[in-house]
Amino acid sequence: MTLQERISADMKEAMKAKDKVRLAALRDIKSKIMLALTESGDADSLDDGAVTKILSKQLKQREDTMAIYKEQGREDLYAEEQAQADAIRPYLPQPMTPEELAAAVQALIAELGATSMADMGRVMGTASARFAGRADGKAISALVRQHLG
């Protein structure tokens, strides 16, 4: 079962269970998937990598919004965003720990033979694809700069 099919099936379960928060999160994801399908035009479904990218973006948006609500003291809205973020997380791969990410970035730099900041684009392109959904782009970039700089 693809990730897209799993989300659709879980949406039906959330409807039956009357789980409004989870259903809202899954509907939002489903709409983003449908938008991506419309933009591509020729596909009936997205591969798991594309769906993971959408899920990561949705989770990041929820986390950013949670930070704003927390800052403004809006606990009610914060709790709702937290619940939606919790509904998204099970569909994403397990995030890498900072130590795992540091080791993986170091190994990737060695694998690609990168030696200077001129190689940053090549390393970031490969790292972003390889660690998609498992590590934040800012964290990857900081580690690459640290090792190449």
Short mmCIF file of all heavy atoms in Angstrom, two decimals, residues 20-78:
data_model
loop_
_atom_site.label_atom_id
_atom_site.label_comp_id
_atom_site.label_asym_id
_atom_site.label_seq_id
_atom_site.Cartn_x
_atom_site.Cartn_y
_atom_site.Cartn_z
N LYS A 20 -12.40 14.39 14.49
CA LYS A 20 -12.43 15.62 13.69
C LYS A 20 -11.03 16.21 13.44
O LYS A 20 -10.74 16.67 12.34
CB LYS A 20 -13.32 16.66 14.34
CG LYS A 20 -14.78 16.28 14.31
CD LYS A 20 -15.64 17.33 14.97
CE LYS A 20 -17.09 16.88 14.96
NZ LYS A 20 -17.96 17.84 15.60
N VAL A 21 -10.19 16.20 14.45
CA VAL A 21 -8.86 16.80 14.30
C VAL A 21 -8.02 16.00 13.30
O VAL A 21 -7.41 16.57 12.39
CB VAL A 21 -8.15 16.88 15.67
CG1 VAL A 21 -6.74 17.37 15.51
CG2 VAL A 21 -8.93 17.78 16.61
N ARG A 22 -8.00 14.70 13.47
CA ARG A 22 -7.23 13.84 12.56
C ARG A 22 -7.79 13.93 11.14
O ARG A 22 -7.04 14.01 10.17
CB ARG A 22 -7.26 12.39 13.06
CG ARG A 22 -6.38 11.47 12.27
CD ARG A 22 -6.20 10.16 13.03
NE ARG A 22 -5.37 9.27 12.25
CZ ARG A 22 -5.75 8.07 11.86
NH1 ARG A 22 -6.92 7.59 12.22
NH2 ARG A 22 -4.96 7.31 11.14
N LEU A 23 -9.10 13.95 11.04
CA LEU A 23 -9.75 14.06 9.74
C LEU A 23 -9.38 15.38 9.06
O LEU A 23 -9.08 15.40 7.86
CB LEU A 23 -11.27 13.95 9.88
CG LEU A 23 -12.09 14.03 8.60
CD1 LEU A 23 -11.68 12.92 7.62
CD2 LEU A 23 -13.57 13.94 8.90
N ALA A 24 -9.36 16.47 9.82
CA ALA A 24 -9.00 17.77 9.25
C ALA A 24 -7.56 17.75 8.73
O ALA A 24 -7.28 18.24 7.64
CB ALA A 24 -9.17 18.86 10.30
N ALA A 25 -6.65 17.16 9.49
CA ALA A 25 -5.25 17.08 9.07
C ALA A 25 -5.11 16.23 7.81
O ALA A 25 -4.41 16.61 6.86
CB ALA A 25 -4.38 16.51 10.19
N LEU A 26 -5.79 15.08 7.78
CA LEU A 26 -5.70 14.19 6.62
C LEU A 26 -6.36 14.80 5.39
O LEU A 26 -5.87 14.63 4.27
CB LEU A 26 -6.31 12.83 6.95
CG LEU A 26 -5.55 12.01 8.00
CD1 LEU A 26 -6.33 10.77 8.38
CD2 LEU A 26 -4.16 11.66 7.51
N ARG A 27 -7.45 15.51 5.58
CA ARG A 27 -8.10 16.19 4.44
C ARG A 27 -7.18 17.25 3.85
O ARG A 27 -7.12 17.42 2.63
CB ARG A 27 -9.42 16.83 4.88
CG ARG A 27 -10.55 15.86 4.90
CD ARG A 27 -11.86 16.57 5.16
NE ARG A 27 -12.96 15.64 5.01
CZ ARG A 27 -14.11 15.75 5.64
NH1 ARG A 27 -14.32 16.75 6.47
NH2 ARG A 27 -15.06 14.85 5.44
N ASP A 28 -6.50 17.97 4.72
CA ASP A 28 -5.58 19.00 4.26
C ASP A 28 -4.45 18.37 3.44
O ASP A 28 -4.08 18.86 2.37
CB ASP A 28 -5.01 19.78 5.45
CG ASP A 28 -4.24 21.02 5.02
OD1 ASP A 28 -4.62 21.63 4.00
OD2 ASP A 28 -3.28 21.38 5.72
N ILE A 29 -3.92 17.26 3.94
CA ILE A 29 -2.85 16.55 3.22
C ILE A 29 -3.38 16.05 1.88
O ILE A 29 -2.72 16.20 0.85
CB ILE A 29 -2.32 15.38 4.07
CG1 ILE A 29 -1.57 15.91 5.29
CG2 ILE A 29 -1.42 14.48 3.24
CD1 ILE A 29 -1.34 14.88 6.35
N LYS A 30 -4.56 15.46 1.90
CA LYS A 30 -5.16 14.93 0.68
C LYS A 30 -5.35 16.04 -0.36
O LYS A 30 -5.09 15.85 -1.55
CB LYS A 30 -6.51 14.27 1.02
CG LYS A 30 -7.22 13.66 -0.15
CD LYS A 30 -6.74 12.28 -0.42
CE LYS A 30 -7.68 11.64 -1.44
NZ LYS A 30 -7.32 10.31 -1.75
N SER A 31 -5.76 17.22 0.10
CA SER A 31 -5.95 18.34 -0.85
C SER A 31 -4.61 18.77 -1.45
O SER A 31 -4.54 19.10 -2.64
CB SER A 31 -6.65 19.51 -0.17
OG SER A 31 -5.80 20.18 0.73
N LYS A 32 -3.56 18.75 -0.64
CA LYS A 32 -2.23 19.10 -1.16
C LYS A 32 -1.75 18.06 -2.17
O LYS A 32 -1.11 18.39 -3.17
CB LYS A 32 -1.21 19.23 -0.02
CG LYS A 32 -1.55 20.28 1.02
CD LYS A 32 -1.57 21.67 0.47
CE LYS A 32 -1.68 22.71 1.54
NZ LYS A 32 -3.00 23.25 1.76
N ILE A 33 -2.05 16.80 -1.92
CA ILE A 33 -1.69 15.73 -2.85
C ILE A 33 -2.46 15.91 -4.16
O ILE A 33 -1.88 15.82 -5.25
CB ILE A 33 -1.96 14.34 -2.23
CG1 ILE A 33 -0.98 14.06 -1.10
CG2 ILE A 33 -1.88 13.25 -3.30
CD1 ILE A 33 -1.31 12.82 -0.28
N MET A 34 -3.74 16.20 -4.07
CA MET A 34 -4.56 16.39 -5.26
C MET A 34 -4.07 17.60 -6.06
O MET A 34 -4.04 17.58 -7.29
CB MET A 34 -6.05 16.57 -4.90
CG MET A 34 -6.65 15.35 -4.23
SD MET A 34 -6.42 13.80 -5.13
CE MET A 34 -7.51 14.06 -6.49
N LEU A 35 -3.66 18.66 -5.37
CA LEU A 35 -3.12 19.84 -6.02
C LEU A 35 -1.83 19.49 -6.77
O LEU A 35 -1.63 19.90 -7.92
CB LEU A 35 -2.86 20.94 -5.00
CG LEU A 35 -2.38 22.28 -5.53
CD1 LEU A 35 -3.44 22.90 -6.43
CD2 LEU A 35 -2.05 23.22 -4.39
N ALA A 36 -0.97 18.70 -6.13
CA ALA A 36 0.27 18.27 -6.78
C ALA A 36 -0.02 17.40 -8.00
O ALA A 36 0.66 17.51 -9.02
CB ALA A 36 1.16 17.52 -5.78
N LEU A 37 -1.03 16.54 -7.90
CA LEU A 37 -1.42 15.71 -9.04
C LEU A 37 -1.94 16.56 -10.19
O LEU A 37 -1.64 16.30 -11.36
CB LEU A 37 -2.49 14.70 -8.63
CG LEU A 37 -2.03 13.50 -7.82
CD1 LEU A 37 -3.21 12.72 -7.28
CD2 LEU A 37 -1.13 12.61 -8.64
N THR A 38 -2.70 17.58 -9.87
CA THR A 38 -3.24 18.47 -10.88
C THR A 38 -2.12 19.22 -11.59
O THR A 38 -2.13 19.39 -12.80
CB THR A 38 -4.22 19.48 -10.24
OG1 THR A 38 -5.24 18.76 -9.57
CG2 THR A 38 -4.86 20.37 -11.28
N GLU A 39 -1.13 19.64 -10.81
CA GLU A 39 0.01 20.37 -11.38
C GLU A 39 0.84 19.48 -12.30
O GLU A 39 1.32 19.93 -13.33
CB GLU A 39 0.88 20.94 -10.26
CG GLU A 39 0.25 22.11 -9.56
CD GLU A 39 1.02 22.57 -8.34
OE1 GLU A 39 2.08 21.97 -8.02
OE2 GLU A 39 0.58 23.53 -7.69
N SER A 40 1.02 18.21 -11.93
CA SER A 40 1.80 17.30 -12.76
C SER A 40 1.01 16.90 -14.00
O SER A 40 1.58 16.65 -15.05
CB SER A 40 2.25 16.07 -11.98
OG SER A 40 1.14 15.25 -11.69
N GLY A 41 -0.30 16.82 -13.87
CA GLY A 41 -1.17 16.60 -15.01
C GLY A 41 -1.30 15.19 -15.54
O GLY A 41 -2.37 14.78 -15.93
N ASP A 42 -0.23 14.42 -15.57
CA ASP A 42 -0.29 13.12 -16.24
C ASP A 42 -0.34 11.92 -15.30
O ASP A 42 -0.57 10.81 -15.74
CB ASP A 42 0.90 12.98 -17.19
CG ASP A 42 2.23 13.08 -16.47
OD1 ASP A 42 2.25 13.62 -15.36
OD2 ASP A 42 3.25 12.64 -17.04
N ALA A 43 -0.16 12.14 -14.02
CA ALA A 43 -0.10 11.01 -13.08
C ALA A 43 -1.43 10.79 -12.36
O ALA A 43 -2.19 11.73 -12.14
CB ALA A 43 1.00 11.25 -12.06
N ASP A 44 -1.70 9.52 -12.04
CA ASP A 44 -2.88 9.20 -11.24
C ASP A 44 -2.56 9.21 -9.76
O ASP A 44 -3.45 9.33 -8.93
CB ASP A 44 -3.41 7.80 -11.61
CG ASP A 44 -4.00 7.77 -13.01
OD1 ASP A 44 -4.41 8.84 -13.50
OD2 ASP A 44 -4.04 6.68 -13.61
N SER A 45 -1.29 9.02 -9.43
CA SER A 45 -0.87 9.03 -8.03
C SER A 45 0.57 9.52 -7.95
O SER A 45 1.30 9.51 -8.93
CB SER A 45 -1.00 7.64 -7.42
OG SER A 45 -0.11 6.75 -8.06
N LEU A 46 0.93 9.94 -6.75
CA LEU A 46 2.30 10.39 -6.50
C LEU A 46 3.10 9.26 -5.88
O LEU A 46 2.55 8.42 -5.17
CB LEU A 46 2.29 11.58 -5.53
CG LEU A 46 1.63 12.87 -6.01
CD1 LEU A 46 1.62 13.90 -4.88
CD2 LEU A 46 2.34 13.44 -7.21
N ASP A 47 4.40 9.27 -6.11
CA ASP A 47 5.23 8.27 -5.45
C ASP A 47 5.40 8.67 -3.98
O ASP A 47 5.11 9.80 -3.60
CB ASP A 47 6.58 8.11 -6.17
CG ASP A 47 7.46 9.35 -6.07
OD1 ASP A 47 6.93 10.46 -5.84
OD2 ASP A 47 8.68 9.21 -6.24
N ASP A 48 5.86 7.73 -3.18
CA ASP A 48 5.98 7.97 -1.74
C ASP A 48 6.93 9.13 -1.42
O ASP A 48 6.72 9.84 -0.44
CB ASP A 48 6.42 6.70 -1.02
CG ASP A 48 5.28 5.71 -0.85
OD1 ASP A 48 4.14 6.03 -1.21
OD2 ASP A 48 5.54 4.60 -0.34
N GLY A 49 7.94 9.32 -2.24
CA GLY A 49 8.88 10.43 -2.01
C GLY A 49 8.20 11.78 -2.12
O GLY A 49 8.43 12.68 -1.29
N ALA A 50 7.35 11.94 -3.12
CA ALA A 50 6.62 13.20 -3.30
C ALA A 50 5.62 13.41 -2.17
O ALA A 50 5.46 14.53 -1.68
CB ALA A 50 5.92 13.21 -4.65
N VAL A 51 4.96 12.36 -1.75
CA VAL A 51 3.99 12.46 -0.65
C VAL A 51 4.73 12.79 0.65
O VAL A 51 4.26 13.62 1.44
CB VAL A 51 3.16 11.17 -0.50
CG1 VAL A 51 2.25 11.24 0.72
CG2 VAL A 51 2.33 10.93 -1.75
N THR A 52 5.88 12.20 0.86
CA THR A 52 6.68 12.49 2.06
C THR A 52 7.09 13.96 2.08
O THR A 52 7.07 14.60 3.14
CB THR A 52 7.93 11.58 2.11
OG1 THR A 52 7.50 10.23 2.17
CG2 THR A 52 8.80 11.89 3.31
N LYS A 53 7.43 14.49 0.93
CA LYS A 53 7.81 15.90 0.84
C LYS A 53 6.62 16.79 1.24
O LYS A 53 6.79 17.76 1.98
CB LYS A 53 8.25 16.21 -0.60
CG LYS A 53 8.98 17.50 -0.76
CD LYS A 53 9.44 17.65 -2.21
CE LYS A 53 10.93 17.82 -2.24
NZ LYS A 53 11.45 18.03 -3.57
N ILE A 54 5.43 16.45 0.76
CA ILE A 54 4.22 17.21 1.12
C ILE A 54 3.97 17.10 2.62
O ILE A 54 3.68 18.10 3.29
CB ILE A 54 3.01 16.70 0.32
CG1 ILE A 54 3.15 17.07 -1.16
CG2 ILE A 54 1.70 17.25 0.88
CD1 ILE A 54 2.14 16.41 -2.09
N LEU A 55 4.09 15.89 3.16
CA LEU A 55 3.87 15.68 4.59
C LEU A 55 4.87 16.47 5.43
O LEU A 55 4.50 17.08 6.44
CB LEU A 55 3.97 14.20 4.94
CG LEU A 55 2.83 13.32 4.44
CD1 LEU A 55 3.22 11.85 4.52
CD2 LEU A 55 1.56 13.59 5.23
N SER A 56 6.12 16.48 5.01
CA SER A 56 7.16 17.23 5.74
C SER A 56 6.84 18.71 5.75
O SER A 56 6.98 19.39 6.78
CB SER A 56 8.53 17.01 5.10
OG SER A 56 8.92 15.68 5.21
N LYS A 57 6.41 19.21 4.62
CA LYS A 57 6.07 20.63 4.51
C LYS A 57 4.88 20.97 5.41
O LYS A 57 4.88 21.98 6.10
CB LYS A 57 5.76 20.99 3.05
CG LYS A 57 5.54 22.45 2.81
CD LYS A 57 5.39 22.75 1.34
CE LYS A 57 5.22 24.24 1.12
NZ LYS A 57 5.08 24.57 -0.28
N GLN A 58 3.87 20.10 5.41
CA GLN A 58 2.70 20.31 6.26
C GLN A 58 3.06 20.28 7.74
O GLN A 58 2.58 21.10 8.51
CB GLN A 58 1.63 19.25 5.96
CG GLN A 58 0.97 19.40 4.61
CD GLN A 58 0.27 20.72 4.47
OE1 GLN A 58 -0.60 21.06 5.27
NE2 GLN A 58 0.65 21.48 3.46
N LEU A 59 3.92 19.35 8.12
CA LEU A 59 4.35 19.27 9.52
C LEU A 59 5.13 20.52 9.91
O LEU A 59 4.92 21.08 10.99
CB LEU A 59 5.20 18.01 9.75
CG LEU A 59 5.68 17.81 11.18
CD1 LEU A 59 4.50 17.65 12.14
CD2 LEU A 59 6.59 16.60 11.28
N LYS A 60 6.01 20.97 9.04
CA LYS A 60 6.80 22.17 9.31
C LYS A 60 5.88 23.38 9.49
O LYS A 60 6.08 24.19 10.40
CB LYS A 60 7.79 22.41 8.16
CG LYS A 60 8.62 23.65 8.28
CD LYS A 60 9.90 23.35 9.01
CE LYS A 60 10.85 24.52 8.94
NZ LYS A 60 10.81 25.35 10.12
N GLN A 61 4.85 23.50 8.64
CA GLN A 61 3.90 24.60 8.78
C GLN A 61 3.19 24.54 10.12
O GLN A 61 3.01 25.56 10.79
CB GLN A 61 2.86 24.56 7.65
CG GLN A 61 3.41 25.01 6.32
CD GLN A 61 2.39 24.88 5.20
OE1 GLN A 61 1.33 24.29 5.35
NE2 GLN A 61 2.73 25.44 4.04
N ARG A 62 2.78 23.33 10.52
CA ARG A 62 2.09 23.18 11.81
C ARG A 62 3.02 23.59 12.96
O ARG A 62 2.61 24.27 13.89
CB ARG A 62 1.64 21.73 12.04
CG ARG A 62 0.65 21.16 11.07
CD ARG A 62 -0.68 21.86 11.11
NE ARG A 62 -1.76 21.24 10.40
CZ ARG A 62 -1.85 21.07 9.09
NH1 ARG A 62 -0.87 21.42 8.30
NH2 ARG A 62 -2.92 20.53 8.54
N GLU A 63 4.28 23.17 12.89
CA GLU A 63 5.23 23.49 13.96
C GLU A 63 5.51 24.99 14.02
O GLU A 63 5.62 25.56 15.11
CB GLU A 63 6.52 22.69 13.77
CG GLU A 63 6.32 21.22 14.07
CD GLU A 63 7.51 20.35 13.70
OE1 GLU A 63 8.39 20.81 12.93
OE2 GLU A 63 7.55 19.20 14.17
N ASP A 64 5.62 25.64 12.87
CA ASP A 64 5.82 27.09 12.84
C ASP A 64 4.61 27.82 13.43
O ASP A 64 4.76 28.77 14.21
CB ASP A 64 6.07 27.58 11.41
CG ASP A 64 7.40 27.11 10.85
OD1 ASP A 64 8.26 26.63 11.64
OD2 ASP A 64 7.61 27.22 9.62
N THR A 65 3.43 27.36 13.07
CA THR A 65 2.20 27.96 13.58
C THR A 65 2.08 27.74 15.09
O THR A 65 1.67 28.65 15.82
CB THR A 65 0.97 27.37 12.86
OG1 THR A 65 1.13 27.55 11.45
CG2 THR A 65 -0.32 28.05 13.29
N MET A 66 2.48 26.55 15.55
CA MET A 66 2.44 26.26 16.98
C MET A 66 3.33 27.24 17.75
O MET A 66 2.95 27.72 18.82
CB MET A 66 2.89 24.82 17.25
CG MET A 66 1.85 23.80 16.92
SD MET A 66 2.37 22.06 16.90
CE MET A 66 3.72 21.96 18.01
N ALA A 67 4.50 27.53 17.20
CA ALA A 67 5.42 28.45 17.86
C ALA A 67 4.79 29.85 17.97
O ALA A 67 4.92 30.51 19.01
CB ALA A 67 6.74 28.53 17.08
N ILE A 68 4.11 30.28 16.92
CA ILE A 68 3.45 31.59 16.95
C ILE A 68 2.34 31.61 17.99
O ILE A 68 2.24 32.55 18.78
CB ILE A 68 2.90 31.95 15.54
CG1 ILE A 68 4.06 32.18 14.58
CG2 ILE A 68 1.99 33.17 15.61
CD1 ILE A 68 3.64 32.25 13.12
N TYR A 69 1.51 30.56 18.00
CA TYR A 69 0.41 30.50 18.97
C TYR A 69 0.93 30.45 20.40
O TYR A 69 0.36 31.05 21.30
CB TYR A 69 -0.49 29.30 18.70
CG TYR A 69 -1.35 29.44 17.46
CD1 TYR A 69 -1.77 28.31 16.77
CD2 TYR A 69 -1.76 30.67 16.98
CE1 TYR A 69 -2.57 28.42 15.63
CE2 TYR A 69 -2.53 30.80 15.85
CZ TYR A 69 -2.94 29.67 15.18
OH TYR A 69 -3.72 29.78 14.07
N LYS A 70 2.02 29.73 20.62
CA LYS A 70 2.62 29.62 21.96
C LYS A 70 3.10 31.00 22.41
O LYS A 70 2.88 31.40 23.56
CB LYS A 70 3.78 28.61 21.90
CG LYS A 70 4.36 28.29 23.24
CD LYS A 70 3.45 27.32 23.96
CE LYS A 70 4.19 26.63 25.06
NZ LYS A 70 3.31 25.77 25.81
N GLU A 71 3.75 31.70 21.48
CA GLU A 71 4.28 33.03 21.76
C GLU A 71 3.15 34.01 22.12
O GLU A 71 3.32 34.86 22.98
CB GLU A 71 5.02 33.52 20.51
CG GLU A 71 5.80 34.78 20.66
CD GLU A 71 6.54 35.09 19.36
OE1 GLU A 71 7.49 34.36 19.03
OE2 GLU A 71 6.14 36.06 18.70
N GLN A 72 1.99 33.84 21.46
CA GLN A 72 0.86 34.74 21.68
C GLN A 72 -0.03 34.30 22.84
O GLN A 72 -1.01 34.97 23.16
CB GLN A 72 0.01 34.84 20.41
CG GLN A 72 0.73 35.47 19.27
CD GLN A 72 -0.07 35.44 17.96
OE1 GLN A 72 -1.06 34.71 17.85
NE2 GLN A 72 0.36 36.22 17.00
N GLY A 73 0.31 33.15 23.45
CA GLY A 73 -0.48 32.66 24.58
C GLY A 73 -1.82 32.09 24.17
O GLY A 73 -2.74 32.03 24.98
N ARG A 74 -1.95 31.63 22.95
CA ARG A 74 -3.20 31.05 22.45
C ARG A 74 -3.15 29.54 22.59
O ARG A 74 -2.96 28.82 21.63
CB ARG A 74 -3.42 31.43 20.97
CG ARG A 74 -3.60 32.90 20.68
CD ARG A 74 -4.89 33.49 21.29
NE ARG A 74 -6.08 32.73 20.99
CZ ARG A 74 -6.92 32.98 19.99
NH1 ARG A 74 -6.68 33.98 19.19
NH2 ARG A 74 -7.98 32.23 19.80
N GLU A 75 -3.32 29.06 23.81
CA GLU A 75 -3.21 27.64 24.11
C GLU A 75 -4.25 26.80 23.36
O GLU A 75 -3.97 25.67 22.99
CB GLU A 75 -3.31 27.40 25.62
CG GLU A 75 -2.13 27.94 26.41
CD GLU A 75 -0.80 27.33 26.00
OE1 GLU A 75 -0.75 26.11 25.72
OE2 GLU A 75 0.19 28.06 25.97
N ASP A 76 -5.45 27.35 23.14
CA ASP A 76 -6.50 26.60 22.44
C ASP A 76 -6.08 26.30 21.00
O ASP A 76 -6.21 25.17 20.52
CB ASP A 76 -7.82 27.37 22.48
CG ASP A 76 -7.70 28.80 21.93
OD1 ASP A 76 -6.60 29.40 22.02
OD2 ASP A 76 -8.71 29.31 21.42
N LEU A 77 -5.59 27.33 20.31
CA LEU A 77 -5.15 27.13 18.93
C LEU A 77 -3.86 26.31 18.87
O LEU A 77 -3.68 25.51 17.95
CB LEU A 77 -4.94 28.49 18.24
CG LEU A 77 -6.21 29.34 18.10
CD1 LEU A 77 -5.87 30.72 17.56
CD2 LEU A 77 -7.22 28.65 17.21
N TYR A 78 -3.00 26.49 19.85
CA TYR A 78 -1.76 25.70 19.94
C TYR A 78 -2.10 24.22 20.05
O TYR A 78 -1.51 23.39 19.35
CB TYR A 78 -0.93 26.16 21.14
CG TYR A 78 0.29 25.31 21.38
CD1 TYR A 78 1.48 25.57 20.70
CD2 TYR A 78 0.27 24.24 22.27
CE1 TYR A 78 2.61 24.79 20.91
CE2 TYR A 78 1.39 23.45 22.48
CZ TYR A 78 2.55 23.73 21.80
OH TYR A 78 3.66 22.95 22.00
#
